[in-house]
């Protein structure tokens, strides 16, 4: 946008966006308004529109524009304009708030709050705002809103340190928090006055609770002062009153939860914690009233408060269970919520039960386990009730809806906490519940079986619990499932089949039941609704009973041949093939080779048919090559791991070698035919990767044709999976002298199109290419460093790496840093090798030119671009540079630090001279990489 548009033009665009029925016109208006918001003219336009106050849509657009400009583009304004902007916003607020929509009030409040945070010259903003807006009742909604969002924005920055919007820096954040703490008493006085003077105004009361909660979250409220005031009673009174409207009830709940969160620091907030405990315990009766009135929203609020209380006082419950603030009535409140008829209420408590079980596991105390065991028993019983499906449900359990997600979370929770009660105890109790209850409905049976499935793999015969129940109950359960009649509800049969699969380890120890189990699962495979779950259970049986299943291999092979005629998802089919392949790992080499050939040939034949038939590809159907590529990959993948790979002695031919050679032509043809389809090519490369890893260097016969094909296709289609596959080849063959020249030619052929792609498309748009390119380059540095160091491409590769060091894509950046770290490491590693001095001289030649630039790129990435969780990778490079040449690094780092900005746009100091000096000293004197990582993390916070 070259010039500022008139306000009339902007208003017309806004009207078009909201009111024109033509979608094309709306889209054009939206694009134009977006361009305006990104331009420097938006400041003046938004200010004028707010001054005019024409209508709701226009005022909202203006307020929202002002907020986003302050948040994301504050650097566009000179410091001389900050005061006038502040005065303008205050005037807009004064003129608009009495009749403004809540959404406009919120945007203006956020704009003012973000401005106050960024302008270092605006001292004590909370006090100034109270003095300006606190004397008029009509201004209270705006004042409370801005006093709410001001600490919220600071709290958000403390949590999301890596935010790209507001970058205050640690020094400025400290100043702001100190100023807000100084204004805290004034804010509390205002809130107390509001609760007294506006008791009948639900809108103001909700804002009061939200505001108080916001100041609690920031941690600046003096707990003693609030605990002894009437202010803390107000949200409890609101939650006690059955007539309280939902918005106020929820705000009161949020406020109490915020107070409970800070009260976890019991040494600082002891009086507050005691008041909160008494208040929350008193909410038991109102909770039960909300259940009776079927007010689910209020029940959810009560449950949140109870859960927050339990989480805050968890350590006290551990230290003194049943005493003082460790009162176990807290758990009774939670279990009452778990027993609510709506599972959404129970789900709120899940995180607490995870935390409690984790603490009990770490404490490993028999006494504590005994105390809490009854509570976990009640928890599991209640959860089994929640897992019941609707009695009028038809068909198998739906695995895609919210209830299915809830049941999965229940299963995961039970698996984590069952050690306290004992798996066999839970399993036995559930079975007896069913056995002792006459005329049990199908939904109860299915729910109990579902929970049994969660603990079935933990029924160990040598556990501390008696095995008599296990030997008596499990056979009865298994027999009951295997004997389910054909007319049993399909969901019961489905979950029963699932339970059989989960009992795989028990079946392995009781081989006499294996044949009947296999017959049961074979029948399920042929059922249109039970095929996938039967395949998954059969996979579990194959994995657990490998040696016993070897005699059934031919039968399993027949199942594989018929897979496409069965009602089985591809995911289940892939899993079944993995299970069957595991059986091969227990066979002698000659039998393994025969079995593997038979398994692979079935999939290879399907691929060959697709290539010949020349049908159009429909994803997920039998015309989709990825189905068969995934199946082949699942077979080969198992033979690359140490615990499943066949033992091959030196000079012995790998039993899988011949099969890999036989499958290669089909994979090659598939890659050629579908070379334009990235989805298919990626799966093909994945399959080839597993095949190469499977036989290692014995895949040498594929190297030349494979590299040739990869290079040829990559010139036309820059699929990054070829770069990744290239890294696998370098890893396998990079140390073979006869292969190095060809591998280097491959890298050269890849680099040209790759650099062109990154130049035209940008690094940020191609993170997968960056990831795979530097994974490939790192493999060269690891396996044949002199080859890449002597190549003419090394300088361009290093330059690309420095540019990509600021990329905040986790995998891509990790690969870049790994390459840089390994490159520097070659100059100091294996100093006894004959080529050590040559390697060091080559790296020295690079660092003399690129060292200062590299360190500056790393510091820039640390301060401005990378989230803190990615800084350990940067630390690895920095530490390696120091190990290589500490003296030079000290100079490079000093120059890089001098280049960093000293102040923010708002005039706040980023880092003092002392902080810069301390950081330089801390880094350059570090003897461990952890020290560097910690220093980088702390230093980056000064600029964020």
């Amino acid at each position: 946008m070259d010039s500022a548009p008139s306000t009339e033009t902007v208003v017309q665009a806004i009207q078009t966006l909201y009111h024109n029925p033509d979608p094309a016109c709306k889209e054009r208006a939206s694009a134009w308004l977006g361009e305006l918001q990104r331009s420097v003219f938006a400041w003046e336009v938004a200010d004028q529109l707010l001054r005019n106050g024409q209508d709701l849509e226009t005022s909202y657009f203006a307020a929202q524009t002002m907020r986003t400009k302050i948040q994301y583009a504050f650097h566009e304004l000179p410091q001389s304009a900050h005061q006038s902007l502040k005065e303008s916003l205050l005037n807009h607020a004064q003129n608009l708030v009495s009749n403004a929509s809540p959404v406009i009030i919120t945007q203006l409040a956020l704009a003012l709050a973000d401005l106050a945070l960024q302008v270092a010259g605006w001292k004590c903003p909370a006090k100034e705002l109270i003095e300006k807006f606190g004397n008029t009742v009509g201004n209270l909604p705006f004042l409370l809103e801005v006093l709410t969002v001001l600490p919220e924005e600071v709290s958000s920055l403390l949590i999301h340190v890596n935010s790209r919007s507001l970058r205050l820096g640690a020094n400025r954040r400290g100043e702001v928090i100190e100023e807000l703490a100084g204004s805290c008493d004034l804010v509390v006085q205002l809130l107390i006055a509001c609760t007294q003077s506006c008791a009948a105004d639900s809108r103001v009361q909700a804002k009061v609770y939200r505001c108080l909660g916001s100041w609690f979250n920031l941690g600046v409220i003096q707990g003693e002062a609030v605990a002894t005031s009437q202010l803390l009673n107000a949200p409890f009174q609101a939650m006690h009153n059955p007539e309280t409207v939902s918005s106020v009830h929820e705000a009161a709940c949020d406020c109490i939860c915020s107070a409970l969160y800070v009260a976890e620091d019991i040494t600082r907030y002891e009086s507050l914690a005691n008041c909160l405990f008494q208040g929350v315990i008193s909410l038991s009766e109102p909770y039960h009233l909300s259940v009776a009135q079927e007010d689910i929203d209020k029940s959810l609020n009560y449950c949140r408060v109870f859960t927050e209380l339990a989480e805050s006082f968890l350590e006290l419950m551990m230290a003194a269970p049943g005493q003082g603030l460790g009162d176990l009535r807290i758990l009774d409140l939670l279990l009452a919520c778990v027993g609510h008829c709506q599972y959404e209420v129970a789900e709120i408590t899940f995180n607490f039960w995870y935390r409690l079980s984790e603490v009990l596991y770490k404490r490993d105390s028999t006494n504590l386990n005994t105390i809490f065991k009854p509570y976990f028993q009640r928890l599991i019983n209640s959860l089994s009730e929640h897992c019941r499906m609707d009695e009028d449900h038809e068909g198998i359990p739906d695995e895609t809806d919210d209830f299915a997600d809830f049941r999965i979370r229940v299963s995961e929770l039970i698996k984590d906490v069952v050690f306290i009660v004992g798996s066999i105890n839970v399993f036995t109790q559930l079975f007896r519940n069913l056995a002792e209850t006459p005329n049990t409905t199908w939904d109860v049976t299915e729910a109990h079986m579902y929970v049994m499935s969660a603990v079935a793999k933990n029924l160990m015969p040598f556990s501390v619990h008696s095995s008599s129940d296990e030997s008596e109950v499990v056979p009865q359960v298994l027999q009951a499932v295997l004997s389910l009649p054909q007319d049993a509800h399909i969901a019961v049969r489905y979950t029963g089949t699932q339970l059989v699969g989960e009992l795989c380890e028990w079946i392995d120890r009781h081989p006499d039941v294996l044949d009947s189990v296999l017959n049961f699962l074979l029948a399920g495979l042929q059922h249109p609704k039970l095929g996938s779950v039967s395949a998954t259970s059969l996979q579990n049986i194959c994995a657990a009973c490998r040696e016993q299943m070897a005699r059934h291999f031919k039968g399993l092979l027949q199942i594989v041949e018929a897979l496409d005629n069965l009602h089985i998802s591809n995911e289940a089919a892939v899993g079944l093939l993995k299970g069957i392949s595991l059986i091969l790992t227990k066979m002698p080499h000659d039998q393994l080779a025969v079995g593997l050939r038979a398994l692979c040939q079935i999939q290879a034949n399907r691929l060959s048919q697709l290539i010949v038939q020349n049908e159009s590809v429909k994803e997920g159907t039998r015309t989709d090559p990825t189905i068969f590529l995934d199946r082949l990959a699942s077979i080969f993948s198992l033979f690359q791991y140490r615990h499943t790979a066949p033992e091959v002695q030196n000079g012995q031919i790998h039993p899988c070698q011949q099969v890999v050679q036989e499958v290669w032509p089909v994979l090659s043809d598939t890659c050629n035919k579908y070379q334009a389809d990235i989805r298919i090519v990626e799966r093909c490369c994945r399959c080839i990767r597993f095949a190469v890893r499977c036989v290692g260097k014995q895949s040498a016969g594929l190297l030349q044709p494979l590299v040739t094909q990869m290079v040829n296709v990559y010139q036309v289609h820059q699929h990054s999976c070829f770069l990744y596959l290239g890294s696998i080849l370098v890893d396998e063959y990079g140390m073979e002298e006869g292969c190095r020249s060809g591998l280097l030619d491959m890298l050269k052929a890849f680099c040209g199109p790759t650099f062109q792609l990154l130049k035209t498309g940008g690094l940020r748009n191609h993170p997968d290419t960056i990831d795979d390119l530097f994974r490939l380059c790192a493999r060269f540095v690891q396996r044949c460093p002199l080859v890449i160091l002597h190549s003419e491409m090394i300088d361009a590769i290093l330059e690309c790496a420095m540019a990509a060091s600021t990329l905040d894509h986790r995998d891509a950046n990790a690969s870049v840093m790994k390459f840089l770290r390994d490159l520097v490491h070659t100059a100091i590693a294996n100093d006894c090798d004959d080529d050590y001095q040559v390697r060091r001289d080559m790296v020295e030649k690079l660092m003399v030119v690129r060292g200062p630039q590299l360190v500056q790129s790393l510091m820039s990435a640390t301060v401005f671009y990378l989230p803190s969780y990615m800084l350990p990778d940067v630390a690895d490079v920095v530490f390696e540079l120091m190990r290589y040449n500490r003296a030079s690094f000290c100079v490079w780092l000093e120059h890089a630090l001098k280049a960093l900005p000293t102040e923010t746009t708002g005039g706040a100091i980023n880092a003092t001279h002392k902080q810069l000096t301390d950081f330089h000293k801390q880094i350059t004197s570090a003897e461990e990489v952890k020290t560097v990582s910690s220093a980088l993390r702390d230093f980056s916070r000064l600029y964020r």
Side-chain angles (χ1 to χ4, degrees), residues 757-782:
L757 175 70
L758 297 176
K759 182 179 179 180
T760 56
L763 300 176
R764 186 168 293 277
N765 295 326
H766 299 283
D768 291 342
T769 299
I770 293 290
D771 182 11
D772 294 331
L773 171 65
F774 286 101
R775 196 182 291 266
L776 170 61
C777 293
R779 290 297 191 192
F780 266 99
V781 172
Q782 293 161 8

Side-chain angles (χ1 to χ4, degrees), residues 672-709:
N672 271 334
K673 179 177 176 61
Y674 302 103
Q675 61 181 267
D677 191 323
I678 177 62
R679 186 178 62 90
I680 298 175
V681 172
E682 280 184 344
R683 306 293 244 289
C684 194
C685 286
R686 177 171 172 266
C687 188
I688 295 171
R689 166 167 64 103
F690 287 139
V692 170
R693 288 296 199 194
C694 173
V695 296
K697 291 182 175 58
Q698 292 193 26
S699 63
L702 308 182
L703 186 58
Q704 193 275 331
L706 174 56
V707 168
T708 301
Q709 182 173 15

Side-chain angles (χ1 to χ4, degrees), residues 220-235:
V220 294
I221 283 188
Q222 297 298 318
E224 185 73 33
V226 176
T228 56
S229 74
Q230 289 298 311
L231 187 57
L232 191 62
N233 289 332

Side-chain angles (χ1 to χ4, degrees), residues 23 25 49 85 95 157 296 321 349 354 376 438 473 477 657 773 918:
C25 292
L49 291 176
L85 175 62
N95 296 331
L157 291 173
I296 179 67
T349 70
Y354 274 120
F376 281 99
V473 171
V477 171
Q657 183 200 40
L773 171 65
D918 289 347

